[in-house]
Amino acid sequence: MKQVIIIPARYGSTRFPGKPLILIDGKPMIQHVYERALSSKTEEIWVATDDERILQEVLRFGGKALMTAKTHICGTDRIAEATELLGLSPEDIVVNLQGDQPFFPSEYFQLLTEPLLSGKAKMATLATPIKTEEDLYNPNKVKVVLDCQGYALYFSRSLIPYFRTPGDPPLYLKHIGVYAYTKEFLDLFVKLPPGTLELTEKLEQLRALEHGYKIAVNIVPEDVPEVDTPEDLEKLTKLRGM
């Protein structure tokens, strides 16, 4: 068993075209993400892209990259193709690190992969306590509820669970969009048909739950900022004083 981090990066983002190449503190965002992956001490790190400009930029700063099809509708499909090109074995662990998370904490990688290494699950992700009322009601901040063993019961863009009883509110959790899976489960996942819940919420991870598979969720103390839009980049720049 080996661990491989694959960073999906496409150029044609609808909300922020070319965002892997935008500069943050003098470096393209994809380089920040790659360097965070390096800090995990993982054996292999690759960028999977559909654009020659991103490929050449990764090679320029000394990273490893491979070209994948332009027809993929999501990052998971792109990663699945990359695992085939790399010839990974069924038991290998694949980390799907989003290309728009330039400041992913290095200590979170171990927490992400721990459920797979322990045999608890074949798919895992992270969540963090929601700390602002704005995030509670923001549909772009996906919420997750867990069972007593730390497996996901449901993910939603709505606020869950509904708080009806007077008293202290429950711990609301925001999902952090990063995943780890075995290569074997990843191959299975991309062949599953999207279900009603996935199509309704537009949340790909619901596909696993709808088909009866478990997703282990570890809780981390702080959120991971993502850059989905130019406004997100502006907020991140102000937050970090750059």
Side-chain angles (χ1 to χ4, degrees):
M1 179 192 293
K2 67 177 178 180
Q3 295 185 40
V4 180
I5 296 176
I6 302 179
I7 306 164
R10 67 187 184 101
Y11 192 88
S13 169
T14 303
R15 292 186 290 176
F16 201 168
K19 70 177 180 178
L21 301 181
I22 62 166
L23 295 180
I24 300 176
D25 198 22
K27 294 180 184 178
M29 181 159 67
I30 193 63
Q31 184 174 353
H32 282 281
V33 178
Y34 197 93
E35 289 174 353
R36 289 296 171 132
L38 285 174
S39 72
S40 71
K41 310 300 182 183
T42 300
E43 294 98 323
E44 288 189 41
I45 300 164
W46 292 84
V47 173
T49 186
D50 64 350
D51 191 274
E52 184 69 23
R53 288 164 289 188
I54 297 174
L55 178 77
Q56 292 304 320
E57 182 58 32
V58 174
L59 296 178
R60 182 198 64 77
F61 64 69
K64 294 188 291 187
L66 45 80
M67 289 294 291
T68 52
K70 293 183 178 290
T71 53
H72 295 309
I73 60 174
C74 66
T76 307
D77 289 337
R78 191 174 309 285
I79 284 177
E81 181 189 353
T83 64
E84 290 298 313
L85 295 173
L86 293 171
L88 299 188
S89 299
E91 67 275 10
D92 290 339
I93 292 176
V94 180
V95 172
N96 176 352
L97 178 61
Q98 303 299 317
D100 56 8
Q101 296 175 332
F103 301 108
F104 190 88
S106 58
E107 62 270 22
Y108 285 9
F109 287 103
Q110 183 177 356
L111 292 168
L112 176 63
T113 58
E114 181 274 329
L116 279 73
L117 293 170
S118 67
K120 179 180 178 179
K122 293 187 176 181
M123 180 175 180
T125 189
L126 300 176
T128 191
I130 295 177
K131 298 179 179 179
T132 68
E133 187 169 355
E134 178 185 0
D135 284 352
L136 282 178
Y137 300 100
N138 184 343
N140 293 319
K141 307 294 184 181
V142 176
K143 291 79 181 175
V144 59
V145 290
L146 311 181
D147 68 14
C148 293
Q149 283 74 46
Y151 295 103
L153 287 169
Y154 192 65
F155 297 85
S156 181
R157 297 184 182 279
S158 297
L159 178 60
I160 53 174
Y162 177 77
F163 181 48
R164 182 176 180 179
T165 305
D168 293 332
L171 176 66
Y172 292 106
L173 295 174
K174 174 189 174 293
H175 177 228
I176 295 174
V178 61
Y179 301 95
Y181 355 65
T182 61
K183 156 71 170 163
E184 179 182 35
F185 184 78
L186 176 60
D187 290 342
L188 169 66
F189 180 87
V190 296
K191 292 174 183 175
L192 295 173
T196 302
L197 297 175
E198 176 186 353
L199 295 174
T200 300
E201 296 258 18
K202 303 303 181 187
L203 296 175
E204 184 184 24
Q205 63 271 31
L206 288 173
R207 187 184 314 174
L209 300 186
E210 285 192 83
H211 287 277
Y213 297 100
K214 290 182 176 292
I215 303 175
V217 183
N218 270 341
I219 299 175
V220 296
E222 298 294 337
D223 197 4
V224 178
E226 299 178 357
V227 180
D228 291 321
T229 65
E231 291 74 25
D232 290 338
L233 177 60
E234 184 178 348
K235 289 179 182 178
L236 182 62
T237 301
K238 290 180 180 178
L239 180 65
R240 298 184 65 86
M242 293 182 297

